[in-house]
Amino acid sequence: MEIKTVGVVGAGQMGNGIAHVFAVSGYEVVLNDIDQGALDKALSQIHKNLDRQVSREKITEDERRAALARISTTLKLPDLGQTDLVIEAATERETVKVAIFEDLLPHLKPETILTSNTSSISITRLASRTDRPEKFMGFHFMNPVPVMQLVELIRGIATDQPTYEALHKVVESLGKTAATAEDFPAFIVNRILMPMINEAVYTLYEGVGSVKSIDESLKLGANHPMGPLELADFIGLDTCLAIMNVLHDGLADTKYRPCPLLTKYVEAGWLGRKTDRGFYDYRGDTPVPTR
């Protein structure tokens, strides 16, 4: 099956990035959200990111205009029904994702492939709640989507070979690299990354180092482009906590126990950059450590 049209559910940080890269690569994109404000913000962000690509000579002005013309937005989930591929990029909560797929199913073409951009939730379990588990896959983009080169492809237990091959071709058409992961909690990237971030929070919690010293140590001592606490703020502390809980529950190993300090920050609503406070306070001209 040739994929030409793509529906994206969720216009947040990941959804607008996914819409951006598909539109630049020639796909017609329908971007959906339940909030008009989120759609307006997403289009504004896509404009800004495309302008940045033009200024850096990654794309031409004509390509920018053409990409924007390929993106339409809607508040109505059924409007995605006639697309060839649906990518769910809603919040990292299984109940929300299941409800979206259940609402979509009556409106889908028989051949439409369903995917989830989940960073940790079982693809097999999500697929089992649809009418097409053989045409369901994990399609996990990295943040920020226009910049990061990797896409994790996760097959559920029922995913068929044609679906896998179709999505592998899609990843190549986007100019990105596919990494195939088995359907185990958090897949590859977050299975390795999140425990490192969680350990950095434990290091802060136990007073081994300050926010600044922990981040500087990993940047200068391990050559990481961002410190783990700075990265956690960028990802969103609520997302980090959700993934750690999936790892802890799914693998039943105490080494994945979320740090109580991470839980406390999320309880406070200090979720990182998106709320202007996390391990850093972003309300001034420069970020200031909160501990």
Side-chain angles (χ1 to χ4, degrees):
M1 172 185 170
E2 190 178 358
I3 294 169
K4 294 181 178 178
T5 56
V6 180
V8 181
V9 184
Q13 199 172 31
M14 296 303 295
N16 78 62
I18 292 168
H20 171 147
V21 298
F22 272 93
V24 167
S25 298
Y27 295 87
E28 295 293 326
V29 179
V30 185
L31 180 61
N32 161 262
D33 202 282
I34 56 173
D35 175 36
Q36 185 62 48
L39 289 172
D40 295 341
K41 187 177 176 183
L43 284 178
S44 173
Q45 188 63 48
I46 291 168
H47 270 270
K48 194 183 300 181
N49 289 338
L50 286 168
D51 288 344
R52 187 180 294 121
Q53 287 184 316
V54 171
S55 70
R56 293 177 180 174
E57 299 183 349
K58 302 282 188 186
I59 60 172
T60 65
E61 178 59 33
D62 286 346
E63 286 170 332
R64 184 192 77 87
R65 275 198 297 268
L68 286 170
R70 293 186 193 105
I71 301 172
S72 61
T73 63
T74 180
L75 292 169
K76 299 173 183 174
L77 195 59
D79 289 350
L80 275 58
Q82 293 308 298
T83 57
D84 303 322
L85 167 66
V86 173
I87 304 167
E88 172 276 312
T91 189
E92 192 67 358
R93 288 209 303 273
E94 188 166 344
T95 52
V96 172
K97 295 178 185 298
V98 168
I100 287 167
F101 289 125
E102 287 178 348
D103 288 348
L104 258 177
L105 290 179
H107 309 284
L108 294 177
K109 298 187 295 184
E111 65 271 24
T112 297
I113 294 174
L114 285 178
T115 67
S116 176
N117 183 58
T118 178
S119 49
S120 61
I121 296 167
S122 167
I123 298 304
T124 298
R125 200 163 60 237
L126 288 174
S128 73
R129 302 296 295 273
T130 75
D131 63 354
R132 60 195 71 202
E134 71 287 349
K135 289 185 176 295
F136 193 107
M137 275 192 70
F139 207 28
H140 182 215
F141 289 81
M142 306 295 131
N143 187 32
V145 181
V147 176
M148 301 296 277
Q149 290 301 299
L150 186 75
V151 181
E152 284 183 316
L153 290 181
I154 305 102
R155 299 171 75 149
I157 199 168
T159 306
D160 64 23
Q161 189 64 17
T163 298
Y164 171 78
E165 289 173 0
L167 290 185
H168 204 285
K169 284 180 184 173
V170 168
V171 174
E172 289 177 348
S173 76
L174 300 176
K176 296 188 183 294
T177 300
T180 304
E182 293 300 316
D183 185 23
F184 290 101
F187 320 129
I188 295 172
V189 173
N190 284 317
R191 171 76 177 262
I192 297 166
L193 176 64
M194 285 303 158
M196 184 197 76
I197 287 174
N198 195 52
E199 195 61 31
V201 183
Y202 266 115
T203 306
L204 178 65
Y205 175 63
E206 293 167 4
V208 179
S210 65
V211 169
K212 185 180 178 185
S213 63
I214 291 166
D215 277 352
E216 283 190 345
S217 294
L218 269 292
K219 282 193 282 190
L220 302 179
N223 207 26
H224 290 192
M226 295 173 77
L229 301 174
E230 182 186 4
L231 179 57
D233 276 357
F234 180 74
I235 294 167
L237 303 193
D238 52 339
T239 300
C240 293
L241 179 60
I243 295 169
M244 287 309 301
N245 279 326
V246 167
L247 279 165
H248 192 227
D249 295 344
L251 297 171
D253 192 324
T254 55
K255 73 179 181 180
Y256 298 116
R257 183 171 68 96
C259 179
L261 184 61
L262 178 60
T263 303
K264 196 59 64 182
Y265 269 71
V266 173
E267 287 174 348
W270 292 18
L271 309 181
R273 285 182 176 270
K274 61 187 172 185
T275 59
D276 287 331
R277 275 194 289 189
F279 292 113
Y280 292 86
D281 189 323
Y282 299 93
R283 293 173 297 174
D285 293 335
T286 56
V288 177
T290 53
R291 285 181 93 82

